[in-house]
Amino acid sequence: MRPAAAEDLPRMFEYRRKPEVAQWMTAQPTDVDAFERLRQPEHLAATFAVEQAGTLVGDLYLARQDAWAQQEVEELARGTQAEIGYVIAPEFAGQGYASEAVTALMRVCFEDLGLRRVVAECFAHNTASWRVMEKAGMRREGRFRQGSLHRSGRWLDDLRYALLADEWRASRAGGSAVAEPLRHT
């Protein structure tokens, strides 16, 4: 895992536009020029590349956020949590890259950034995605019945997962079966 670079964008576009990937993405990349908006520094700064033997196999997203708080203590909630997202190229799916990369991203969130909570969401039909979250140690917090409108025009259930820093530390101390994190550079 490494910070993404502008040179990664053509490869990301290549796998994100495939129907089996695009069906779950927030936006369906249909043209490389529109996809290139990710070249903006704020987008690249929030994106990590997942490589295997020099080949880009996927990418991760990390959006640091403020937690909700009452006004008197809102300053204490600033930047204390993050939402993550991930995608693996279909030809590398099912080989453990997503679980390993998400686990590495959790380490960055909790150990490097000192966050207190990480969340992720997916469509309930995206079994591969919620299995990755569970393998990374995240807990399912909710299922929202027909909570999201899919580009197919159907309302689909979505799932929300989360992990607290205390839970992360406890899983590390207890010899959890979660994959060892990749080195973050």
Side-chain angles (χ1 to χ4, degrees):
M1 184 173 80
R2 62 168 174 74
E7 300 78 42
D8 297 321
L9 294 175
R11 169 70 176 136
M12 288 178 187
F13 175 76
E14 180 185 313
Y15 58 76
R16 283 176 171 236
R17 69 186 179 112
K18 293 184 177 182
E20 63 268 37
V21 175
Q23 71 175 325
W24 305 121
M25 303 299 297
T26 302
Q28 184 173 3
T30 55
D31 104 10
V32 73
D33 293 330
F35 189 75
E36 289 285 318
R37 71 172 168 54
L38 296 178
R39 186 177 298 277
Q40 297 170 352
E42 65 273 14
H43 288 288
L44 279 177
T47 306
F48 293 85
V50 180
E51 283 188 333
Q52 173 60 32
T55 299
L56 185 64
V57 301
D59 59 270
L60 305 160
Y61 179 74
L62 169 65
R64 196 166 186 167
Q65 304 170 332
D66 298 342
W68 184 89
Q70 292 177 313
Q71 188 176 18
E72 297 82 5
V73 291
E74 68 185 353
E75 186 63 35
L76 299 173
R78 289 217 167 92
T80 60
Q81 65 184 35
E83 182 173 5
I84 63 166
Y86 44 89
V87 60
I88 298 294
E91 62 270 26
F92 294 98
Q95 299 176 40
Y97 294 117
S99 297
E100 187 176 357
V102 169
T103 300
L105 191 58
M106 294 291 193
R107 187 195 63 72
V108 169
C109 288
F110 296 126
E111 295 177 18
D112 298 350
L113 300 176
L115 300 178
R116 63 169 290 282
R117 178 178 165 85
V118 174
V119 299
E121 294 184 16
C122 71
F123 288 112
H125 285 85
N126 190 350
T127 305
S129 185
W130 59 258
R131 284 187 177 156
V132 166
M133 292 181 230
E134 290 178 358
K135 286 179 185 175
M138 298 181 87
R139 131 190 61 68
R140 185 181 292 185
E141 289 193 328
R143 180 184 188 113
F144 302 92
R145 302 283 300 155
Q146 297 183 8
S148 296
L149 181 60
H150 190 270
R151 72 178 56 89
S152 67
R154 296 180 312 153
W155 287 95
L156 300 179
D157 292 1
D158 49 271
L159 303 174
R160 182 176 181 102
Y161 280 76
L163 186 65
L164 297 172
D166 292 344
E167 295 167 326
W168 171 262
R169 284 189 285 279
S171 73
R172 301 288 100 178
S176 170
V178 175
E180 283 299 308
L182 296 168
R183 196 183 86 203
H184 174 69
T185 54

